[in-house]
């Protein structure tokens, strides 16, 4: 049965049932270490034309549009929860991985596809461009549901890379497709396009992110529920405005998310929770839609090509690109291996694989199913073994807790006071000290301590423990001093 032919109520019933089933199976995926995105994708395939429900869906253009909007929200949510203080030390490493790493991966895969697999040069470079970036949705999802901590800086590096490398992959894909037409772009115009996309994406992300933050604090809404609506509309505005002006919309929304998330704004905690929920919904809808678009019966015909392509990407192209991109940085070889292994492919490559349909390439269907096979392999092989790889390489660290609080601080526009979250590092010199001994800046107050599964209201004689999450009410300008005090290491070695 064709999806468009179904009664509207049946369409809603089918969609809601698939979403509920996807959420219900999350516990199964967590228990057995299966990436949840693979669960969503499988449900979509089972409901599709070759599956149990036999829902006929083959609208590649609609899939591309749904996927692009979903990816924008996922990137914004990822940026919103990115701590700049953790990203700053790995910024240049992340930029190198997000640019040079993508270009090298594209080149290596293209050469393999052309000279080993026998593809036409355009198809070879198109395949290389489509799979050149790691997927933000997959990496964010796996890292936050794997329940394993990594050595300091690794999680931030992986999230920064996955959040920032999609724009170049999109640009490479559209550029290669440009050579298919009668009016192929020149190398000069291609270089200018790359510069324009990145420069405008960065500038608009910074400017619009700051304006949204200012607007959230200045506007006086009578209904708290309107703030998440305003923030959601702002994401769409940043995406559309940047795209229309000629910048890269994915880079812009990610940067806007970082700008907003690292500042204090009204109802911040509830808005962050809301956007996290929206990001989950977008992931589910996106992967269900991609699953519906796939015809599993056609995958066996490209299985041999898909296996060879996947193995080369995972075992050769990705590690080679990572090691070369991180040359000159102080990164341990084990960390490079782990970064190579966490190079997950997910929704972004599948969405990019729908682009050739717009050009009506004869090989569009083959490209799509090879890329889909590669994504399945990546999620199943790499995604499910990340915790094992972390332990084998000796890069495991104590998992930082994500605290939940029974109240929320509402920022006022003219107030210089902010409520910030700090984690007492394992091995910190502050461990074992009483609150009154911490020497925090004047007018700074620890309002709550999140320890294990409990909340503590501290007194001056409350002792600090490893891993405590502190909720500190402090004036602007004092945050670096507090962070410096807590980060001083004592006699203990960091776990």
């Amino acid at each position: 049965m064709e999806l468009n032919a179904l009664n509207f109520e049946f369409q809603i019933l089918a969609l809601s049932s698939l979403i509920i089933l996807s959420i219900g199976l999350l516990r199964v995926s967590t228990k057995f270490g299966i990436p949840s995105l693979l669960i969503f994708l499988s449900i979509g395939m089972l409901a599709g034309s070759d599956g149990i429900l036999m829902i006929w869906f083959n609208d590649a253009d609609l899939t591309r549009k749904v996927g692009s909007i979903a990816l924008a929200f996922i990137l914004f949510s990822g940026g919103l929860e990115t701590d700049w203080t953790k990203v700053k030390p790995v910024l240049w490493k992340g930029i190198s991985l997000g640019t040079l790493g993508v270009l090298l991966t594209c080149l290596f895969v293209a050469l393999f596809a052309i000279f080993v697999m026998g593809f036409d040069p355009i198809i070879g470079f198109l395949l290389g461009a489509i799979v050149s970036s790691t997927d933000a949705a997959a990496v964010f999802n796996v890292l936050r549901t794997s329940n394993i901590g990594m050595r300091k800086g690794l999680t931030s590096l992986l999230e920064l890379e996955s959040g920032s490398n999609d724009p170049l992959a999109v640009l490479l894909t559209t550029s290669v497709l440009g050579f298919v037409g009668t009016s192929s772009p020149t190398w000069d115009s291609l270089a200018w396009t790359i510069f324009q996309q990145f420069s405008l994406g960065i500038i608009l992300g910074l400017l619009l992110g700051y304006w949204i933050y200012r607007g959230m604090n200045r506007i006086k809404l009578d209904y708290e529920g309107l703030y998440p609506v305003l923030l959601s509309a702002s994401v769409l505005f940043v995406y559309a405005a940047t795209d229309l002006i000629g910048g890269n919309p994915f880079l812009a929304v990610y940067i806007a998310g970082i700008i907003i998330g690292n500042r204090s704004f009204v109802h911040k905690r509830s808005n962050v929770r809301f956007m996290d929920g929206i990001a989950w919904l977008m992931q589910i809808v996106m992967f269900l839609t991609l699953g519906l678009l796939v015809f599993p019966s056609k995958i066996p015909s490209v299985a041999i090509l898909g296996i060879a392509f996947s193995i080369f990407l995972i075992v050769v192209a990705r590690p080679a690109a990572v090691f070369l991109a991180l040359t000159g940085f102080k990164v341990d070889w084990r960390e490079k291996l782990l970064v190579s292994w966490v190079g997950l492919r997910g929704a972004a490559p599948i969405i990019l694989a729908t682009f050739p349909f717009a050009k009506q390439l004869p090989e569009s269907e083959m490209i799509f199913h090879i890329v889909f096979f590669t994504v399945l392999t990546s999620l199943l092989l790499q995604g499910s073994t990340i915790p094992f790889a972390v332990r084998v390489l000796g890069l495991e660290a104590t998992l930082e807790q994500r605290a939940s609080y029974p109240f929320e601080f509402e920022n006022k526009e003219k107030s210089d006071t902010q409520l910030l979250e700090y984690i007492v590092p394992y091995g910190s010199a502050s461990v074992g000290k009483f609150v009154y001994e911490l020497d925090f800046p004047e007018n700074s107050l620890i309002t709550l301590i999140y320890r294990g599964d409990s909340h503590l209201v501290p007194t001056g004689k409350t002792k600090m423990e490893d891993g405590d999450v502190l909720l500190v009410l402090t004036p602007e300008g004092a945050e670096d001093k507090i962070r410096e005090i807590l980060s001083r290491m004592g006699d203990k070695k960091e776990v």
Side-chain angles (χ1 to χ4, degrees):
M1 54 182 170
E2 190 170 351
L3 185 61
N4 293 333
L6 290 175
N7 181 281
F8 176 72
E9 285 73 19
F10 277 105
Q11 292 179 5
I12 298 299
L13 179 64
L15 178 60
S16 60
S17 299
L18 291 176
I19 292 175
I20 291 170
L21 179 61
S22 300
I23 295 173
L25 289 176
L26 275 178
R27 292 184 63 86
V28 177
S29 68
T30 303
K31 182 178 180 180
F32 293 99
I34 303 172
S36 57
L37 301 182
L38 189 59
I39 297 289
F40 307 152
L41 204 57
S42 301
I43 292 174
M45 292 170 63
L46 288 173
S49 55
D50 289 344
I52 298 172
L53 298 182
M54 293 186 294
I55 297 176
W56 181 271
F57 179 76
N58 64 345
D59 194 333
D61 187 57
L62 177 61
T63 302
R64 178 185 61 82
K65 291 175 181 176
V66 170
S68 296
I69 296 300
L71 193 57
F73 275 98
I74 292 166
L75 286 168
F76 181 81
S77 178
L80 206 60
E81 297 190 63
T82 298
D83 187 344
W84 175 248
T85 60
K86 295 179 180 178
V87 167
K88 192 176 180 180
V90 298
L91 178 62
W92 292 109
K93 299 175 191 174
I95 291 175
S96 181
L97 286 172
T99 52
L100 181 59
V102 169
L103 290 171
L104 289 172
T105 302
C106 175
L107 177 62
F108 295 151
V109 171
L111 293 176
F112 177 78
I114 295 168
F115 294 106
V116 179
M117 301 180 73
F119 285 115
D120 181 82
I122 289 293
I123 302 301
F125 275 98
L126 188 57
L127 282 168
I130 288 172
V131 300
S132 61
S133 72
T134 59
D135 185 68
V139 173
F140 287 161
N141 180 278
V142 170
L143 292 182
R144 293 174 185 181
T145 59
S146 61
N147 293 320
I148 187 168
M150 298 183 193
R151 184 181 289 182
K152 185 177 180 182
L154 274 177
T155 300
S156 299
L157 176 60
L158 290 165
E159 291 191 350
L160 175 62
E161 179 202 7
S162 65
S164 60
N165 63 10
D166 285 332
L168 184 54
V170 173
L171 191 58
L172 288 173
T173 302
T174 53
S175 298
V176 174
L177 283 171
F179 285 97
V180 176
T182 54
S183 57
S184 300
T186 63
W187 290 108
D188 289 344
S189 66
L190 184 59
W192 170 252
T193 301
I194 293 175
F195 173 77
Q196 174 184 299
Q197 287 257 321
F198 273 80
S199 58
L200 286 177
I202 293 171
I203 293 171
L204 289 172
L206 291 170
L207 289 177
L208 294 176
Y210 180 75
W211 287 341
I212 293 169
Y213 148 72
R214 295 285 293 180
M216 292 286 289
N217 281 339
R218 281 183 175 274
I219 194 168
K220 307 295 182 183
L221 297 175
D222 294 329
Y223 301 100
E224 182 181 340
L226 288 176
Y227 285 97
V229 178
L230 177 62
L231 193 59
S232 300
S234 299
V235 176
L236 295 174
F237 180 85
V238 173
Y239 176 87
T242 305
D243 194 37
L244 287 172
I245 294 173
N248 193 288
F250 298 108
L251 184 60
V253 294
Y254 181 64
I255 291 177
I258 293 177
I259 295 297
I260 298 168
N262 283 271
R263 293 174 179 270
S264 180
F265 60 92
V266 64
H267 302 302
K268 178 178 180 177
R269 188 163 296 278
S270 61
N271 276 285
V272 170
R273 284 198 301 266
F274 177 84
M275 293 308 302
D276 186 48
I278 290 295
W280 270 105
L281 177 62
M282 291 294 119
Q283 289 180 50
I284 294 172
V285 170
M286 179 170 60
F287 274 81
L288 286 177
T289 305
L290 292 171
L292 287 172
L293 186 64
V294 173
F295 288 80
S297 60
K298 297 180 180 179
I299 293 180
S301 62
V302 297
I304 296 177
L305 289 175
I307 290 172
F309 189 81
S310 304
I311 291 175
F312 181 81
L313 172 64
I314 294 171
V315 178
V316 180
R318 168 68 178 176
V322 168
F323 273 74
L324 288 172
L326 293 179
T327 299
F329 295 102
K330 293 183 179 179
V331 183
D332 184 82
W333 66 269
R334 293 176 300 162
E335 295 178 342
K336 291 180 181 177
L337 278 180
L338 184 62
V339 171
S340 302
W341 192 249
V342 189
L344 300 175
R345 268 59 189 178
I350 303 178
I351 293 169
L352 292 178
T354 64
F355 284 28
F357 284 102
K359 281 282 185 179
Q360 298 180 338
L361 290 183
E363 301 88 350
S364 297
E365 194 170 292
M366 179 197 64
I367 292 171
F368 182 83
H369 284 93
I370 288 178
V371 172
F372 186 84
F373 191 94
T374 303
V375 170
L376 280 180
T377 305
S378 177
L379 289 176
L380 192 58
L381 180 61
Q382 294 173 285
S384 59
T385 57
I386 286 176
F388 175 75
V390 173
R391 295 187 187 98
V392 168
L393 292 172
L395 298 174
E396 187 177 7
T398 303
L399 183 66
E400 291 185 350
Q401 301 179 67
R402 298 184 70 187
S404 58
Y405 305 119
F407 62 87
E408 183 172 359
F409 174 73
E410 182 176 347
N411 181 69
K412 300 296 183 182
E413 172 66 19
K414 295 182 179 180
S415 172
D416 66 348
T417 303
Q418 50 192 341
L419 193 65
L420 301 176
E421 181 182 296
Y422 296 92
I423 296 176
V424 179
Y426 286 76
S428 169
S430 299
V431 173
K433 287 186 177 182
F434 293 113
V435 168
Y436 72 83
E437 296 178 307
L438 291 177
D439 194 30
F440 275 8
E442 188 177 357
N443 297 327
S444 296
L445 176 68
I446 302 176
T447 60
L448 195 71
I449 297 177
Y450 183 80
R451 180 177 295 166
D453 294 323
S454 61
H455 300 102
L456 306 176
V457 178
T459 66
K461 291 190 176 181
T462 300
K463 277 189 177 181
M464 295 293 100
E465 293 187 8
D466 287 313
D468 278 352
V469 182
L470 313 181
L471 200 61
V472 184
L473 194 63
T474 181
E476 287 187 9
E479 54 267 29
D480 290 338
K481 178 65 175 177
I482 296 173
R483 193 172 289 110
E484 178 190 345
I485 291 171
L486 295 176
S487 62
R488 292 173 188 160
M489 291 293 108
D491 295 332
K492 295 181 181 180
K493 293 182 179 179
E494 186 175 358
V495 178

